[in-house]
PDB file of all heavy atoms in Angstrom:
ATOM      1  N   ASP A 545       1.233  42.934 -14.348  1.00 96.00           N
ATOM      2  CA  ASP A 545       0.030  43.355 -15.084  1.00 96.00           C
ATOM      3  C   ASP A 545      -0.539  42.094 -15.728  1.00 96.00           C
ATOM      4  O   ASP A 545       0.089  41.506 -16.616  1.00 96.00           O
ATOM      5  CB  ASP A 545       0.428  44.393 -16.127  1.00 96.00           C
ATOM      6  CG  ASP A 545      -0.708  44.744 -17.088  1.00 96.00           C
ATOM      7  OD1 ASP A 545      -1.828  44.208 -16.930  1.00 96.00           O
ATOM      8  OD2 ASP A 545      -0.460  45.532 -18.019  1.00 96.00           O
ATOM      9  N   CYS A 546      -1.713  41.669 -15.255  1.00 96.00           N
ATOM     10  CA  CYS A 546      -2.245  40.372 -15.668  1.00 96.00           C
ATOM     11  C   CYS A 546      -3.661  40.483 -16.225  1.00 96.00           C
ATOM     12  O   CYS A 546      -4.445  41.349 -15.826  1.00 96.00           O
ATOM     13  CB  CYS A 546      -2.280  39.397 -14.480  1.00 96.00           C
ATOM     14  SG  CYS A 546      -0.658  38.961 -13.842  1.00 96.00           S
ATOM     15  N   THR A 547      -3.965  39.573 -17.130  1.00 97.00           N
ATOM     16  CA  THR A 547      -5.340  39.333 -17.558  1.00 97.00           C
ATOM     17  C   THR A 547      -5.846  38.116 -16.791  1.00 97.00           C
ATOM     18  O   THR A 547      -5.199  37.067 -16.792  1.00 97.00           O
ATOM     19  CB  THR A 547      -5.408  39.070 -19.065  1.00 97.00           C
ATOM     20  OG1 THR A 547      -4.933  40.231 -19.771  1.00 97.00           O
ATOM     21  CG2 THR A 547      -6.838  38.762 -19.494  1.00 97.00           C
ATOM     22  N   VAL A 548      -6.984  38.299 -16.125  1.00 97.00           N
ATOM     23  CA  VAL A 548      -7.538  37.259 -15.251  1.00 97.00           C
ATOM     24  C   VAL A 548      -8.951  36.936 -15.726  1.00 97.00           C
ATOM     25  O   VAL A 548      -9.839  37.785 -15.672  1.00 97.00           O
ATOM     26  CB  VAL A 548      -7.571  37.717 -13.785  1.00 97.00           C
ATOM     27  CG1 VAL A 548      -8.095  36.598 -12.886  1.00 97.00           C
ATOM     28  CG2 VAL A 548      -6.188  38.165 -13.321  1.00 97.00           C
ATOM     29  N   THR A 549      -9.153  35.711 -16.177  1.00 97.00           N
ATOM     30  CA  THR A 549     -10.457  35.297 -16.705  1.00 97.00           C
ATOM     31  C   THR A 549     -11.009  34.147 -15.869  1.00 97.00           C
ATOM     32  O   THR A 549     -10.315  33.142 -15.656  1.00 97.00           O
ATOM     33  CB  THR A 549     -10.346  34.856 -18.166  1.00 97.00           C
ATOM     34  OG1 THR A 549      -9.780  35.931 -18.936  1.00 97.00           O
ATOM     35  CG2 THR A 549     -11.712  34.495 -18.724  1.00 97.00           C
ATOM     36  N   THR A 550     -12.231  34.305 -15.404  1.00 96.00           N
ATOM     37  CA  THR A 550     -12.903  33.270 -14.613  1.00 96.00           C
ATOM     38  C   THR A 550     -14.179  32.867 -15.319  1.00 96.00           C
ATOM     39  O   THR A 550     -14.970  33.720 -15.743  1.00 96.00           O
ATOM     40  CB  THR A 550     -13.242  33.786 -13.208  1.00 96.00           C
ATOM     41  OG1 THR A 550     -12.054  34.262 -12.577  1.00 96.00           O
ATOM     42  CG2 THR A 550     -13.848  32.687 -12.354  1.00 96.00           C
ATOM     43  N   GLU A 555     -18.234  34.368 -13.128  1.00 90.00           N
ATOM     44  CA  GLU A 555     -17.661  34.756 -14.417  1.00 90.00           C
ATOM     45  C   GLU A 555     -17.167  36.192 -14.357  1.00 90.00           C
ATOM     46  O   GLU A 555     -17.859  37.099 -13.898  1.00 90.00           O
ATOM     47  CB  GLU A 555     -18.690  34.597 -15.537  1.00 90.00           C
ATOM     48  CG  GLU A 555     -19.048  33.142 -15.816  1.00 90.00           C
ATOM     49  CD  GLU A 555     -19.686  32.964 -17.179  1.00 90.00           C
ATOM     50  OE1 GLU A 555     -19.775  33.946 -17.931  1.00 90.00           O
ATOM     51  OE2 GLU A 555     -20.092  31.828 -17.489  1.00 90.00           O
ATOM     52  N   SER A 556     -15.925  36.394 -14.829  1.00 91.00           N
ATOM     53  CA  SER A 556     -15.366  37.745 -14.884  1.00 91.00           C
ATOM     54  C   SER A 556     -14.207  37.752 -15.871  1.00 91.00           C
ATOM     55  O   SER A 556     -13.596  36.718 -16.153  1.00 91.00           O
ATOM     56  CB  SER A 556     -14.882  38.206 -13.509  1.00 91.00           C
ATOM     57  OG  SER A 556     -13.833  37.382 -13.039  1.00 91.00           O
ATOM     58  N   ASP A 557     -13.915  38.934 -16.386  1.00 95.00           N
ATOM     59  CA  ASP A 557     -12.792  39.127 -17.297  1.00 95.00           C
ATOM     60  C   ASP A 557     -12.112  40.413 -16.856  1.00 95.00           C
ATOM     61  O   ASP A 557     -12.617  41.509 -17.092  1.00 95.00           O
ATOM     62  CB  ASP A 557     -13.290  39.224 -18.738  1.00 95.00           C
ATOM     63  CG  ASP A 557     -12.150  39.123 -19.746  1.00 95.00           C
ATOM     64  OD1 ASP A 557     -10.998  38.983 -19.305  1.00 95.00           O
ATOM     65  OD2 ASP A 557     -12.420  39.185 -20.953  1.00 95.00           O
ATOM     66  N   LEU A 558     -10.962  40.274 -16.157  1.00 96.00           N
ATOM     67  CA  LEU A 558     -10.321  41.410 -15.499  1.00 96.00           C
ATOM     68  C   LEU A 558      -8.920  41.628 -16.036  1.00 96.00           C
ATOM     69  O   LEU A 558      -8.275  40.707 -16.549  1.00 96.00           O
ATOM     70  CB  LEU A 558     -10.234  41.157 -13.982  1.00 96.00           C
ATOM     71  CG  LEU A 558     -11.530  40.753 -13.264  1.00 96.00           C
ATOM     72  CD1 LEU A 558     -11.213  40.360 -11.823  1.00 96.00           C
ATOM     73  CD2 LEU A 558     -12.542  41.890 -13.310  1.00 96.00           C
ATOM     74  N   ARG A 559      -8.446  42.879 -15.880  1.00 97.00           N
ATOM     75  CA  ARG A 559      -7.043  43.180 -16.144  1.00 97.00           C
ATOM     76  C   ARG A 559      -6.590  44.217 -15.128  1.00 97.00           C
ATOM     77  O   ARG A 559      -7.315  45.163 -14.810  1.00 97.00           O
ATOM     78  CB  ARG A 559      -6.823  43.695 -17.560  1.00 97.00           C
ATOM     79  CG  ARG A 559      -5.343  44.046 -17.792  1.00 97.00           C
ATOM     80  CD  ARG A 559      -4.985  44.239 -19.224  1.00 97.00           C
ATOM     81  NE  ARG A 559      -3.591  44.682 -19.344  1.00 97.00           N
ATOM     82  CZ  ARG A 559      -2.958  44.819 -20.504  1.00 97.00           C
ATOM     83  NH1 ARG A 559      -3.584  44.539 -21.640  1.00 97.00           N
ATOM     84  NH2 ARG A 559      -1.695  45.234 -20.537  1.00 97.00           N
ATOM     85  N   GLY A 560      -5.393  44.009 -14.577  1.00 97.00           N
ATOM     86  CA  GLY A 560      -4.874  44.964 -13.612  1.00 97.00           C
ATOM     87  C   GLY A 560      -3.534  44.521 -13.068  1.00 97.00           C
ATOM     88  O   GLY A 560      -3.045  43.429 -13.360  1.00 97.00           O
ATOM     89  N   GLU A 561      -2.928  45.388 -12.282  1.00 97.00           N
ATOM     90  CA  GLU A 561      -1.665  45.084 -11.605  1.00 97.00           C
ATOM     91  C   GLU A 561      -2.006  44.352 -10.315  1.00 97.00           C
ATOM     92  O   GLU A 561      -2.548  44.946  -9.379  1.00 97.00           O
ATOM     93  CB  GLU A 561      -0.888  46.366 -11.352  1.00 97.00           C
ATOM     94  CG  GLU A 561      -0.459  47.052 -12.652  1.00 97.00           C
ATOM     95  CD  GLU A 561       0.220  48.380 -12.429  1.00 97.00           C
ATOM     96  OE1 GLU A 561      -0.278  49.164 -11.602  1.00 97.00           O
ATOM     97  OE2 GLU A 561       1.248  48.645 -13.080  1.00 97.00           O
ATOM     98  N   VAL A 562      -1.705  43.082 -10.279  1.00 97.00           N
ATOM     99  CA  VAL A 562      -2.155  42.211  -9.204  1.00 97.00           C
ATOM    100  C   VAL A 562      -1.002  41.361  -8.682  1.00 97.00           C
ATOM    101  O   VAL A 562       0.079  41.297  -9.281  1.00 97.00           O
ATOM    102  CB  VAL A 562      -3.291  41.270  -9.686  1.00 97.00           C
ATOM    103  CG1 VAL A 562      -4.513  42.077 -10.118  1.00 97.00           C
ATOM    104  CG2 VAL A 562      -2.799  40.370 -10.826  1.00 97.00           C
ATOM    105  N   VAL A 574      -5.947  35.708  -6.341  1.00 97.00           N
ATOM    106  CA  VAL A 574      -5.506  36.872  -7.116  1.00 97.00           C
ATOM    107  C   VAL A 574      -5.956  38.120  -6.369  1.00 97.00           C
ATOM    108  O   VAL A 574      -7.158  38.345  -6.199  1.00 97.00           O
ATOM    109  CB  VAL A 574      -6.095  36.853  -8.542  1.00 97.00           C
ATOM    110  CG1 VAL A 574      -5.567  38.057  -9.328  1.00 97.00           C
ATOM    111  CG2 VAL A 574      -5.754  35.551  -9.252  1.00 97.00           C
ATOM    112  N   ASP A 576      -5.831  42.385  -5.799  1.00 97.00           N
ATOM    113  CA  ASP A 576      -5.495  43.716  -6.301  1.00 97.00           C
ATOM    114  C   ASP A 576      -5.226  44.621  -5.097  1.00 97.00           C
ATOM    115  O   ASP A 576      -4.994  44.132  -3.987  1.00 97.00           O
ATOM    116  CB  ASP A 576      -6.580  44.247  -7.231  1.00 97.00           C
ATOM    117  CG  ASP A 576      -7.907  44.518  -6.521  1.00 97.00           C
ATOM    118  OD1 ASP A 576      -7.992  44.318  -5.287  1.00 97.00           O
ATOM    119  OD2 ASP A 576      -8.859  44.942  -7.200  1.00 97.00           O
ATOM    120  N   PRO A 582      -9.698  38.377  -2.287  1.00 97.00           N
ATOM    121  CA  PRO A 582      -9.159  38.295  -3.647  1.00 97.00           C
ATOM    122  C   PRO A 582     -10.222  38.639  -4.680  1.00 97.00           C
ATOM    123  O   PRO A 582     -11.417  38.422  -4.460  1.00 97.00           O
ATOM    124  CB  PRO A 582      -8.716  36.838  -3.766  1.00 97.00           C
ATOM    125  CG  PRO A 582      -9.504  36.089  -2.734  1.00 97.00           C
ATOM    126  CD  PRO A 582      -9.721  37.047  -1.609  1.00 97.00           C
ATOM    127  N   VAL A 583      -9.775  39.161  -5.824  1.00 96.00           N
ATOM    128  CA  VAL A 583     -10.710  39.482  -6.908  1.00 96.00           C
ATOM    129  C   VAL A 583     -11.045  38.238  -7.719  1.00 96.00           C
ATOM    130  O   VAL A 583     -12.050  38.191  -8.430  1.00 96.00           O
ATOM    131  CB  VAL A 583     -10.151  40.579  -7.825  1.00 96.00           C
ATOM    132  CG1 VAL A 583     -10.030  41.889  -7.071  1.00 96.00           C
ATOM    133  CG2 VAL A 583      -8.806  40.169  -8.421  1.00 96.00           C
ATOM    134  N   ALA A 584     -10.207  37.216  -7.612  1.00 96.00           N
ATOM    135  CA  ALA A 584     -10.469  35.936  -8.273  1.00 96.00           C
ATOM    136  C   ALA A 584      -9.753  34.855  -7.472  1.00 96.00           C
ATOM    137  O   ALA A 584      -8.695  35.094  -6.888  1.00 96.00           O
ATOM    138  CB  ALA A 584      -9.967  35.950  -9.715  1.00 96.00           C
ATOM    139  N   TRP A 585     -10.338  33.663  -7.430  1.00 96.00           N
ATOM    140  CA  TRP A 585      -9.734  32.573  -6.680  1.00 96.00           C
ATOM    141  C   TRP A 585     -10.330  31.238  -7.108  1.00 96.00           C
ATOM    142  O   TRP A 585     -11.419  31.171  -7.681  1.00 96.00           O
ATOM    143  CB  TRP A 585      -9.938  32.766  -5.179  1.00 96.00           C
ATOM    144  CG  TRP A 585     -11.362  32.625  -4.725  1.00 96.00           C
ATOM    145  CD1 TRP A 585     -11.990  31.505  -4.260  1.00 96.00           C
ATOM    146  CD2 TRP A 585     -12.362  33.656  -4.697  1.00 96.00           C
ATOM    147  NE1 TRP A 585     -13.300  31.759  -3.946  1.00 96.00           N
ATOM    148  CE2 TRP A 585     -13.560  33.073  -4.202  1.00 96.00           C
ATOM    149  CE3 TRP A 585     -12.369  35.013  -5.048  1.00 96.00           C
ATOM    150  CZ2 TRP A 585     -14.728  33.808  -4.060  1.00 96.00           C
ATOM    151  CZ3 TRP A 585     -13.533  35.736  -4.895  1.00 96.00           C
ATOM    152  CH2 TRP A 585     -14.692  35.120  -4.413  1.00 96.00           C
ATOM    153  N   LEU A 613     -10.096  29.113 -13.975  1.00 97.00           N
ATOM    154  CA  LEU A 613      -9.418  30.381 -13.730  1.00 97.00           C
ATOM    155  C   LEU A 613      -8.155  30.419 -14.584  1.00 97.00           C
ATOM    156  O   LEU A 613      -7.303  29.532 -14.494  1.00 97.00           O
ATOM    157  CB  LEU A 613      -9.054  30.514 -12.243  1.00 97.00           C
ATOM    158  CG  LEU A 613      -8.186  31.711 -11.847  1.00 97.00           C
ATOM    159  CD1 LEU A 613      -8.895  33.026 -12.158  1.00 97.00           C
ATOM    160  CD2 LEU A 613      -7.843  31.636 -10.355  1.00 97.00           C
ATOM    161  N   ASP A 614      -8.065  31.455 -15.449  1.00 96.00           N
ATOM    162  CA  ASP A 614      -6.893  31.645 -16.296  1.00 96.00           C
ATOM    163  C   ASP A 614      -6.230  32.969 -15.936  1.00 96.00           C
ATOM    164  O   ASP A 614      -6.911  34.009 -15.866  1.00 96.00           O
ATOM    165  CB  ASP A 614      -7.284  31.671 -17.776  1.00 96.00           C
ATOM    166  CG  ASP A 614      -7.738  30.314 -18.279  1.00 96.00           C
ATOM    167  OD1 ASP A 614      -6.874  29.449 -18.491  1.00 96.00           O
ATOM    168  OD2 ASP A 614      -8.954  30.118 -18.433  1.00 96.00           O
ATOM    169  N   VAL A 615      -4.919  32.929 -15.712  1.00 96.00           N
ATOM    170  CA  VAL A 615      -4.138  34.132 -15.439  1.00 96.00           C
ATOM    171  C   VAL A 615      -2.977  34.173 -16.422  1.00 96.00           C
ATOM    172  O   VAL A 615      -2.206  33.216 -16.525  1.00 96.00           O
ATOM    173  CB  VAL A 615      -3.604  34.149 -13.997  1.00 96.00           C
ATOM    174  CG1 VAL A 615      -2.842  35.447 -13.744  1.00 96.00           C
ATOM    175  CG2 VAL A 615      -4.729  33.979 -12.982  1.00 96.00           C
ATOM    176  N   THR A 616      -2.850  35.311 -17.137  1.00 94.00           N
ATOM    177  CA  THR A 616      -1.748  35.472 -18.088  1.00 94.00           C
ATOM    178  C   THR A 616      -1.084  36.819 -17.850  1.00 94.00           C
ATOM    179  O   THR A 616      -1.767  37.842 -17.701  1.00 94.00           O
ATOM    180  CB  THR A 616      -2.265  35.410 -19.541  1.00 94.00           C
ATOM    181  OG1 THR A 616      -2.955  34.167 -19.740  1.00 94.00           O
ATOM    182  CG2 THR A 616      -1.111  35.499 -20.519  1.00 94.00           C
ATOM    183  N   ASN A 618       0.829  40.133 -18.755  1.00 93.00           N
ATOM    184  CA  ASN A 618       1.151  41.067 -19.825  1.00 93.00           C
ATOM    185  C   ASN A 618       2.495  41.754 -19.557  1.00 93.00           C
ATOM    186  O   ASN A 618       3.211  42.118 -20.485  1.00 93.00           O
ATOM    187  CB  ASN A 618       0.053  42.114 -19.951  1.00 93.00           C
ATOM    188  CG  ASN A 618      -1.310  41.469 -20.164  1.00 93.00           C
ATOM    189  OD1 ASN A 618      -1.523  40.747 -21.129  1.00 93.00           O
ATOM    190  ND2 ASN A 618      -2.237  41.708 -19.238  1.00 93.00           N
TER     191      ASN A 618
END
Side-chain angles (χ1 to χ4, degrees):
D545 171 2
C546 295
T547 298
V548 182
T549 303
T550 304
E555 292 199 4
S556 63
D557 192 0
L558 308 172
R559 178 166 175 174
E561 295 176 316
V562 298
V574 182
D576 66 1
V583 294
W585 68 93
L613 173 62
D614 290 285
V615 182
T616 303
N618 304 300

